[in-house]
Amino acid sequence: MKVVVAVAGGIAAYKAASLVRELGRAGAEVRVVMTRAAQHFVGPATFAGLTGHPVVTSLWDHPGEVHVELGRWADAIVVAPATMDLMAKAAAGLGDDPVLATLSCARGPVFFAPAMHWRMWGRPATQRVVATLAADGAHLVGPERGALASGESGEGRMSEPEAIAAAVVAHLQGPRDLAGRTVVVSAGPTHEDLDPVRFLGNRSTGRMGFALAASAARRGARAILVSGPSALPTPPGVERIDVRSARAMQAAIGQHVGDADAVIMAAAVADYRPAEEAPSKIAKTAGPRTLELVRNPDILAELGAARSGAHPVLVGFALETEDAAARARAKLQRKRCDLVVANLAADGFGGEENLVTLVDAAGDHPLPRRSKAAVADAILDRVVALLGQSGPREG
Ligand code: C5P
């Protein structure tokens, strides 16, 4: 979580220091950018000390385009306090100070925490500005009703730093709707060894399964990732078990299925393995060679056959080169699972994005083409719904 705190010139600027600290406590990396007016209220040294990084106070003190770098770096930008003047300029698309220029390069969501006198907040021009910012996709946090700097009381007081930090963090982390649950995800290919140097494998990268494990962990689950050979880094908070073959994957999943509330089989498990694994490198001979293959266990089908009732929730994948949804429906029944994610090899294998249809007892639910992270979240939304239907775990 990388958050830019953008400080504009209002008395509430001193509370931005607490906001930086709260975001840090929640695990965010924070950088600060300030307007010139903000520096009349609080000095950059405070924020530099809190973040351990230089504060951006001008567009001219840095080599390169510091606003572009900050906008690209930030997962979210939060303007606190957001003054009337700064919001009006942002709504108009101006960019002649470091905060405005950084906002113009934002890659992620932007939050405004307004702070002003109640009369400024209530006037039609301010409300027009706020409506424009919201229509452009910005998030408003507050303001609250309460004591104002003028000694009066009214609507215009900046939300407390804890509340602003909580809104930003909740947005970035998404729902914690898998807290207390254990989700086992398989990912990647399997390698079925022929001899000490050769194997049968496939072109799965593991990206979809890694995205599922990352999303499950982010949503509060204990996420156990059983991965075939994959070069991908372990996502934060995920427990990873590396395996090679289908049988090793079956054993690793078997060890954890007793704790699992859901098992998601995103791995491209080899259906066959060599009948024999040679102890030393197989030498070439003249003429053709026939390889005898035997069936691997179907891990998902065995989990489906073994479970009693609807626990754990079982999710399979159907990667096909044609008729994906129809074949997924057949798989749903044959492997006795709750949900099958259908996709065509051309639409997802190896890439950053995926185009899938979710197939369950209620029917087919095609999703738009999206990043694998977004597809993972959509799959977990269904898992959460299925867990709700099956009720809490007994014992
Ligand atoms: O039958 P098919 O291989 O297309 O089924 C794909 C689904 O079944 C995937 O979820 C995959 O992880 C799982 N599977 C399995 N064990 C196998 C083969 C596939 O669990 N041996």
Side-chain angles (χ1 to χ4, degrees):
M1 247 187 330
K2 301 187 187 106
V3 180
V4 165
V5 173
V7 188
I11 291 177
Y14 77 93
K15 288 195 196 170
S18 302
L19 173 62
V20 168
R21 202 190 48 195
E22 289 297 327
L23 286 165
R25 276 194 189 143
E29 277 181 75
V30 183
R31 301 279 191 278
V32 174
V33 52
M34 304 176 78
T35 63
R36 193 136 50 117
Q39 294 165 58
H40 289 293
F41 293 92
V42 53
T46 303
F47 296 112
L50 286 169
T51 61
H53 288 277
V55 172
V56 176
T57 54
S58 153
L59 288 171
W60 309 111
D61 296 347
H62 304 264
E65 296 185 301
V66 69
H67 55 297
V68 177
E69 279 161 35
L70 270 183
R72 185 165 45 208
W73 176 84
D75 295 322
I77 300 176
V78 50
V79 186
T83 56
M84 182 186 77
D85 182 69
L86 187 114
M87 289 195 293
K89 286 177 173 161
L94 300 184
D96 66 345
D97 81 22
V99 167
L100 291 166
T102 302
L103 288 174
S104 71
C105 294
R107 150 180 84 78
V110 174
F111 296 76
F112 289 93
M116 64 195 76
H117 185 263
W118 61 267
R119 229 187 276 283
M120 291 165 101
W121 175 250
R123 79 175 182 146
T126 307
Q127 291 306 309
R128 266 200 315 274
V129 160
V130 169
T132 303
L133 292 172
D136 288 348
H139 302 269
L140 268 290
V141 185
E144 313 289 330
R145 197 173 281 282
L148 302 172
S150 62
E152 296 162 272
S153 178
E155 190 175 2
R157 185 183 161 84
M158 189 172 89
S159 294
E160 290 307 320
E162 295 80 11
I164 301 170
V168 174
V169 169
H171 185 92
L172 289 181
Q173 290 189 332
R176 302 277 295 173
D177 49 6
L178 284 168
R181 304 289 193 176
T182 297
V183 177
V184 175
V185 181
S186 71
T190 61
H191 285 182
E192 309 294 332
D193 289 334
L194 275 163
D195 68 20
V197 294
R198 303 186 181 96
F199 59 85
L200 300 179
N202 60 66
R203 280 158 46 185
S204 167
T205 58
R207 281 209 185 96
M208 192 62 238
F210 277 61
L212 279 159
S215 170
R218 213 171 37 240
R219 291 168 75 151
R222 176 180 179 210
I224 301 173
L225 175 64
V226 181
S227 177
S230 168
L232 295 175
T234 309
V238 168
E239 293 171 42
R240 174 173 181 169
I241 302 168
D242 285 309
V243 297
R244 277 179 65 76
S245 66
R247 285 187 298 173
M249 183 172 278
Q250 179 189 37
I253 291 171
Q255 268 185 2
H256 290 98
V257 71
D259 299 330
D261 294 290
V263 180
I264 305 178
M265 287 293 302
V269 185
D271 292 318
Y272 297 92
R273 67 175 181 276
E276 275 175 45
E277 186 186 332
S280 50
K281 188 180 170 197
I282 301 168
K284 62 172 146 324
T285 49
R289 175 185 278 278
T290 305
L291 192 60
E292 192 187 346
L293 301 176
V294 294
R295 279 294 304 264
N296 264 333
D298 187 321
I299 304 169
L300 182 58
E302 287 181 7
L303 293 173
R307 76 174 167 168
S308 56
H311 214 278
V313 166
L314 292 181
V315 179
F317 274 69
L319 177 81
E320 308 288 352
T321 48
E322 57 204 344
D323 284 344
R327 291 185 186 199
R329 181 151 302 288
K331 229 157 266 185
L332 187 74
Q333 277 153 17
R334 194 171 68 246
K335 304 201 185 198
R336 298 182 57 191
C337 40
D338 304 294
L339 178 68
V340 173
V341 183
N343 66 334
L344 290 172
D347 290 329
F349 215 41
E352 297 287 349
E353 293 191 330
N354 213 348
L355 179 64
V356 306
T357 297
L358 303 187
V359 177
D360 62 14
D364 296 0
H365 315 279
L367 300 182
R369 173 178 288 282
R370 289 198 259 174
S371 68
K372 287 186 173 173
V375 171
D377 267 322
I379 293 167
L380 289 175
D381 288 345
R382 287 296 306 147
V383 169
V384 168
L386 288 160
L387 283 168
Q389 282 162 25
S390 70
R393 224 170 124 77
E394 287 166 28

